[in-house]
Structures are given as structure tokens and as C-alpha cells.
Amino acid sequence: MAAVDRFNLLYREISRSFSFYIEALAVVGAWYTVRKCVSLAFDTYSMLRLHFIPKLGSKIDLVKQYGKWAVVTGSTDGIGKAYAEELAKRGVNIILISRNKEKLEVVSRNISETYNVETDFIVADFSKGHYFANLSEDVLWDMININIASANMMVHIVLPGMVEKKKGAIVNLSSASCCQPTPMLTIYGASKTYLDYFSRALHYEYASQGIFVQSLTPFVIATKMAAHSSTASKTSFFVPSAEEYASHAISTLGLSTRTTGYWKHAIKFTLGECLPEWIWAWSAMYFFRTIRQEVLTRRMK
């Protein structure tokens, strides 16, 4: 035992006893810091490579790499229509699929005349922010059929031809709601999570045969689907138009199997994955309750 009568002497004796533990903690701290810095550098490079570098260089020849024709479902409005137009800009012929024949005829003709590509269409009906128990059985089955069944069947139809030609691309539109459990989007988020998982697994299954499968996981985009909310239906810094989103998303094709498709959404998605689940859930509840109240108020008027 060391007898001391001053604090600095007492501190010196104690620090000698714990010097090994302090050094060990310093090593752990340094390792953690380096790891975080390397991870940040890698994430920054990945974002630049995915969202900015493709915009600066020459565009990928989609026809040469994936084929002359593309099938686009839900193609008369919103993201589907905008994505079809982006493909047509790059010389890809389009087969449009939707349930409204009149809209299909108009969109098909406009794309063909505007971008000088061949188009055709198929009439097919593959047929948010609510409490699960309040949804009707028809709505539940519609979401499951549209987001799961129809996606599986469509891929099952087009995949054999791609396998035969040893090239092709499949892009499935999932949702950022698959980032973490999202209340008030329960069935929608769950079905989109299935689509995200399905797409990522399918890519590993067929990548060796020249087929690229991509899962897009965007946040809110200003489309007719979000027209029930004045907040979500207007473009802003984090809410792009369908045309702006499609322009960014298509440039990521062939570069990432899973992406939000839009660099501002990528920032939100990264932050969302870091949040504790209860904070994400609380934020979602607050957001969708606000939208729900807005819709009910409009209906009362």
C-alpha cells in the first residue's frame, strides 16, 4: 500500500495500476474510429459512383446490354410512365401494361411518336396510411396480388426468354418502407419487403446467366398515388417528381442491385437504417396520422 497525502500522488499510483486497461481501451477506440472512417469513405465513394459519376459520363447502351424490348407495368401514370419514357429516350422499344385501355393507347402513341421507338400495350388488371384492422379484405388482397403475385407471375413470364438470350434486366419497384417496420403501412410495407427480398435473391440466382435484377426502394415521390396529401403530392427537396426520379433511377441500372434510385433518398435510407426501430415507428405513425387526418378533413368539406 502506498501512503499519499496529495491528490496528484494518489492519481499517479492509481493510473499505474490501470495503465494496461487504459491502453487497451485506447486501442479499441482507435480501431473503432478507423473502422467508422473507412466505412464513411466507402459509403461516400459508393454514392458518388452510383448517383453522380453516371450523370457525368456517357450513358450505358441499354439495347446492347439488355435487349431491344422492355415490359413496363403500371405504365400509364407516375413512376411507371416516367420510367418507360426514360427507356424510350435510350432507344428501347416498350410494351406497356395497365388496366385502362384508353390511357394505354394515348401513352403508347405519345411515346412512339416522341421518341421514335416501337410500342405495344397489353390491357391487364393485376389488381395507404391506414390502420390494418380498418382495411377491407378486397384492399388487402389487392395489395398482395399487385405487389407479390403479379410481380412473381410477370417475372416468370419474361425470365425464360432472358435466360435463352443470356441477357436482360428486371427492375422491381419496392419501397423505403422495407427499411424498417412501418406502422400504418403494415400490409403495403410487408408486401414491398417481400418484393425487395425476392429481387435481391433472384439476382444472385441468375447473375451468372447475364441477367441483372434490381430492387428500387424510394421514399415518397410526387405522383397521383400521393395526391391525397398536399405534403406528399408536391415536389420538394426530398420529394422529386416521377420524371426526375426515373431519370436518376435508370442511371443506376447495372450498377446496384438494391438502391433508392435517388441520391437524396439514399441519404434518408441510410439514416433510417441507423435509427432505433421505435424512433422510426413513432415517426411513421406521426406522419401517416397527419396525412390521414388531412384526408378525413377534406372529405368532411
Side-chain angles (χ1 to χ4, degrees), residues 74-218:
S75 49
T76 54
D77 286 302
I79 301 173
K81 178 184 175 184
Y83 204 92
E85 290 176 344
E86 285 295 326
L87 289 169
K89 286 180 184 178
R90 302 193 183 200
V92 180
N93 301 320
I94 310 295
I95 297 176
L96 307 164
I97 298 179
S98 188
R99 60 186 177 183
N100 189 307
K101 183 179 179 181
E102 290 72 24
K103 284 187 177 181
L104 278 170
E105 290 175 342
V106 172
V107 174
S108 177
R109 183 172 59 252
N110 289 344
I111 290 178
S112 179
E113 293 175 353
T114 304
Y115 304 106
N116 195 28
V117 296
E118 294 182 54
T119 60
D120 202 346
F121 62 85
I122 299 172
V123 180
D125 186 359
F126 289 119
S127 358
K128 8 209 200 189
H130 297 283
Y131 290 101
F132 178 78
N134 292 344
L135 297 173
S136 68
E137 289 187 11
D138 288 341
V139 170
L140 292 176
W141 280 116
D142 280 347
M143 286 191 184
I144 292 171
N145 286 330
I146 293 170
N147 295 332
I148 298 178
S150 66
N152 278 257
M153 295 309 298
M154 181 55 62
V155 170
H156 191 265
I157 292 170
V158 302
L159 193 56
M162 295 181 180
V163 172
E164 184 178 346
K165 294 178 180 179
K166 297 293 182 183
K167 67 178 181 179
I170 297 170
V171 179
N172 287 321
L173 187 62
S174 180
S175 166
S177 60
C178 71
C179 177
Q180 293 211 46
T182 307
M184 299 190 76
L185 282 185
T186 304
I187 192 69
Y188 176 84
S191 61
K192 287 295 188 179
T193 299
Y194 171 91
L195 190 58
D196 178 52
Y197 179 98
F198 169 73
S199 303
R200 293 155 65 190
L202 194 69
H203 175 78
Y204 286 109
E205 193 170 335
Y206 285 95
S208 62
Q209 301 188 50
I211 300 167
F212 188 87
V213 185
Q214 183 183 59
S215 172
L216 292 177
T217 58

